[in-house]
Amino acid sequence: MEKDRIILPVSGFSLADTLDCGQCFRWEEQEDHSFQAVVGKQMARVFQQGDDLIVESKDADEEFWKNYFDLNTDYGMIQEKLSFNKPLRTAMEYTSGIRILNQEPWETLCSFIISQNNNIPRIKGIISRLCENFGEELGEGGYTFPTAERMAELSLEELAPLRAGFRGKYLLDAARKVVSGEVDFARIRESSLEEGQEELRKIYGVGAKVADCVLLFGFHKLDAFPIDTWIKKVLAEYYPNGFPKRAKKYAGVAQQYLFHYIRYYKD
DNA sequence: AGCCAGGACAAGT
DNA sequence: ACTTGTCATGGC
């Protein structure tokens, strides 16, 4: 199999933190510390060497990967705007290499439906089985993420091998409403945070937190602020008077810094 | 072994 | 408007 290799210049970037901060679930770290995943219809391998990010994939497209890793966004500026706040400064000392990926909305929606009341290792397992059972096989042991069209024709019994528990019915409702156009991704992309939340919450099993994760990680709305169990603890401990309005425009980025910091670096 | 996990929903105050 | 029980499953 012929592979392209592209080299993307990066600055202040951490591939490991970006891929292991809970925003994505399919990248697998290899023995040599590179990461592999199927993105779109291609298996990709990525690794970082200092200020070079190397991507290996068939028909690798430079613009696609620049956008995927969000290399066109000025994170130095964002971090400057968040640095007025002490807890954020502390978190950013450890997590400033994180970038908010530009992931497929449908995959992101399913992933965060699966994430609810669940732990990350098991989330990864369910998503992996979803792809193996209903995605397209690429060879090299890789499978694409199944389309909404494919999933809309499945029954709850056919979803049983996923062992997704009560989340199975949520996935089917999501697929049905996305395929019918009742939930319109194109409209969400153009709309405000509030309208996007409203649109996504039409899906049975999608509440405020999952909707915000999809808007942040799938639609790159950096003002979306998902509040999960970890962030609840952060808010109670460091922000008893509420999260500062000054951080509102990039609250999602701030959220991700805090989330990754308390889970991996604190103590 | 038992607690809990990147929640949502319905039913109860 | 808040609080609580329930929902499948399995990682640790």
Side-chain angles (χ1 to χ4, degrees):
Chain A
M1 171 100 47
E2 189 129 336
K3 296 259 183 182
D4 293 334
R5 164 184 283 221
I6 56 177
I7 302 176
L8 301 168
V10 293
S11 155
F13 172 83
S14 167
L15 180 65
D17 283 332
T18 295
L19 297 183
D20 201 26
C21 69
Q23 63 174 321
C24 54
F25 303 98
R26 297 188 71 200
W27 287 100
E28 292 178 13
E29 187 164 10
Q30 310 297 303
E31 293 290 336
D32 62 0
H33 300 297
S34 68
F35 293 83
Q36 274 189 229
V38 173
V39 177
K41 290 189 176 299
Q42 302 297 339
M43 171 71 81
R45 175 172 176 263
V46 299
F47 56 98
Q48 181 174 7
Q49 288 179 342
D51 282 346
D52 284 337
L53 175 62
I54 295 100
V55 182
E56 292 177 349
S57 165
K58 184 168 171 282
D59 302 325
D61 180 79
E62 181 167 337
E63 284 312 307
F64 173 84
W65 287 106
K66 256 176 99 167
N67 179 62
Y68 182 84
F69 285 105
D70 207 24
L71 302 181
N72 298 314
T73 296
D74 184 355
Y75 279 83
M77 177 273 292
I78 293 175
Q79 286 160 19
E80 209 168 295
K81 292 200 172 186
L82 295 176
S83 65
F84 68 92
N85 179 263
K86 180 67 193 297
L88 274 170
R89 279 202 302 278
T90 304
M92 288 191 293
E93 284 176 29
Y94 297 84
T95 64
S96 62
I98 292 175
R99 301 295 178 261
I100 304 296
L101 298 173
N102 283 286
Q103 304 183 71
E104 275 291 316
W106 170 244
E107 176 172 342
T108 308
L109 172 58
C110 291
S111 298
F112 283 93
I113 285 174
I114 291 166
S115 79
Q116 67 183 77
N117 196 30
N118 211 343
N119 56 61
I120 289 181
R122 189 162 168 265
I123 295 165
K124 290 180 177 176
I126 294 170
I127 292 173
S128 173
R129 291 190 288 278
L130 176 59
C131 296
E132 285 164 21
N133 280 279
F134 306 112
E136 181 187 330
E137 185 169 9
L138 294 177
E140 311 176 75
Y143 296 82
T144 64
F145 197 90
T147 62
E149 288 75 12
R150 172 75 177 109
M151 285 175 61
E153 65 191 19
L154 298 173
S155 67
L156 206 49
E157 300 79 66
E158 291 175 290
L159 236 47
L162 304 185
R163 287 168 293 170
F166 60 85
R167 306 165 193 83
K169 55 184 178 293
Y170 300 162
L171 291 173
L172 294 185
D173 192 61
R176 195 165 52 72
K177 285 176 177 157
V178 166
V179 168
S180 73
E182 185 176 345
V183 171
D184 185 353
F185 283 169
R187 190 159 85 194
I188 294 172
R189 200 173 282 287
E190 302 307 319
S191 58
S192 68
L193 184 63
E194 292 72 20
E195 291 169 329
Q197 289 167 337
E198 198 177 335
E199 185 81 358
L200 287 166
R201 292 186 67 171
K202 291 179 185 170
I203 298 164
Y204 180 52
V206 174
K209 191 271 175 182
V210 169
D212 280 337
C213 282
V214 176
L215 292 168
L216 178 58
F217 302 127
F219 289 94
H220 211 257
K221 294 192 185 292
L222 300 185
D223 51 341
F225 189 77
I227 299 175
D228 73 319
T229 51
W230 293 87
I231 295 300
K232 270 180 194 159
K233 291 175 195 167
V234 171
L235 290 175
E237 185 170 353
Y238 298 106
Y239 303 99
N241 301 318
F243 199 66
K245 289 179 188 166
R246 237 178 114 178
K248 190 176 171 190
K249 189 173 180 188
Y250 300 107
V253 185
Q255 187 269 9
Q256 201 54 23
Y257 292 152
L258 293 165
F259 178 81
H260 194 49
Y261 170 66
I262 55 167
R263 295 196 70 224
Y264 286 87
Y265 291 109
K266 189 165 182 281
D267 307 322

